[in-house]
Amino acid sequence: MLLLQFSTSHYCRKARLGLGYKQIKYKIENLTPGLHIFRVKPLTGLKTLPVLLPEIEGERNAIADSTEIFKFLETYQTEPCLFLPDHEQQTEAWMLEDWLDESIGTATRFVYYQFRAGEGKQIDPSLLSQTVISVVRQQYGINQASVELAQKRLAIAFDELSIRWRKRDYLVGDRLSVADLTAAALLSPLSLIPHYRQEYPWLFERIIQVHQLCYEPLPPGL
């Protein structure tokens, strides 16, 4: 299998966690933001990553979107199971996964790239890195006002996740699910921001644990 990705994308990290948890061998092709469209759009009709190319006879040529990748992996290799056996719990896990995907992952992106353009610029002050950051900020409309809204959304998310992750090992049920993988991936960029590391140590303990269960190298900062 071949995973098309941006090396720094937290959504691509989410796909890698799924592949790692299943212990499926795969290769990576890192694409350049902007130029990636010429590689991806002919395959999926979309402009987004990650994209998984199963490269298996009889399977789809390309699977776009991290959620669809999860679903494919579960049908391709049932064990270890990523879906919860209880239907109600799995429905809850999908609801959390969708909320994290559509709201919290975006909020993380806003806060992270604002940090990298300012206080965290020294993490990688190279021209290439700063150019990518500038392009991303412009593309998504990342500014002080939008970042403040994102910070409020993250605060709500931490309250919800705290209720779950600080009382038990998993967000839903008694085993790892799509909700845990999604939260661990999409919140991982915050590990480079001192404020979040200091205020929410339990969060990063969980992120580390999920990465270890999925045999995935830890995110930068951890």
Side-chain angles (χ1 to χ4, degrees):
M1 293 192 186
L2 178 65
L3 181 68
L4 307 181
Q5 68 162 19
F6 296 137
S7 61
T8 59
S9 166
H10 50 337
Y11 287 93
C12 296
R13 177 176 293 277
K14 177 185 165 189
R16 295 199 307 272
L17 288 176
L19 286 158
Y21 183 64
K22 294 284 189 180
Q23 297 188 54
I24 296 172
K25 293 182 179 180
Y26 67 100
K27 296 180 180 179
I28 285 175
E29 183 178 332
N30 289 319
L31 303 183
T32 302
L35 297 178
H36 75 284
I37 294 173
F38 299 105
R39 177 80 165 98
V40 173
K41 195 170 183 181
L43 294 170
T44 67
L46 303 172
K47 301 178 181 179
T48 56
L49 290 173
V51 171
L52 183 66
L53 306 181
E55 300 181 321
I56 299 171
E57 186 176 352
E59 296 289 355
R60 286 181 285 174
N61 292 330
I63 301 159
D65 186 77
S66 57
T67 301
E68 293 304 311
I69 290 173
F70 277 174
K71 293 177 181 178
F72 167 76
L73 294 178
E74 191 71 0
T75 59
Y76 173 74
Q77 180 175 302
T78 56
E79 296 294 334
C81 187
L82 189 53
F83 294 180
L84 299 172
D86 181 87
H87 177 71
E88 289 186 6
Q89 289 185 341
Q90 181 57 35
T91 299
E92 183 181 357
W94 278 128
M95 289 179 65
L96 282 172
E97 189 262 1
D98 185 67
W99 166 62
L100 289 160
D101 255 7
E102 301 302 322
S103 179
I104 306 310
T106 301
T108 298
R109 178 190 288 130
F110 276 50
V111 171
Y112 172 73
Y113 279 101
Q114 183 79 345
F115 172 75
R116 287 294 307 277
E119 181 184 350
K121 186 175 182 178
Q122 292 306 310
I123 292 173
D124 185 352
S126 69
L127 177 60
L128 176 59
S129 176
Q130 291 304 309
T131 298
V132 170
I133 290 169
S134 178
V135 169
V136 171
R137 294 181 74 241
Q138 183 176 10
Q139 178 182 359
Y140 290 103
I142 299 175
N143 54 45
Q144 188 59 41
S146 62
V147 168
E148 288 176 1
L149 290 175
Q151 290 170 332
K152 292 177 181 178
R153 286 158 63 191
L154 286 176
I156 294 172
F158 295 146
D159 286 343
E160 174 64 23
L161 295 176
S162 174
I163 293 171
R164 296 169 180 269
W165 253 346
R166 298 183 78 174
K167 289 183 178 179
R168 53 183 186 264
D169 291 335
Y170 306 105
L171 290 176
V172 182
D174 59 359
R175 55 192 282 186
L176 200 71
S177 74
V178 297
D180 297 289
L181 268 62
T182 304
L186 299 191
L187 292 168
S188 64
L190 300 179
S191 61
L192 286 170
I193 303 179
H195 164 72
Y196 289 105
R197 289 292 302 277
Q198 294 165 7
E199 291 294 320
Y200 305 100
W202 57 268
L203 172 66
F204 299 99
E205 290 173 4
R206 291 298 186 190
I207 289 175
I208 290 172
Q209 290 170 358
V210 172
H211 278 72
Q212 291 172 337
L213 288 170
C214 296
Y215 307 96
E216 172 69 14
L218 297 180
L222 295 179

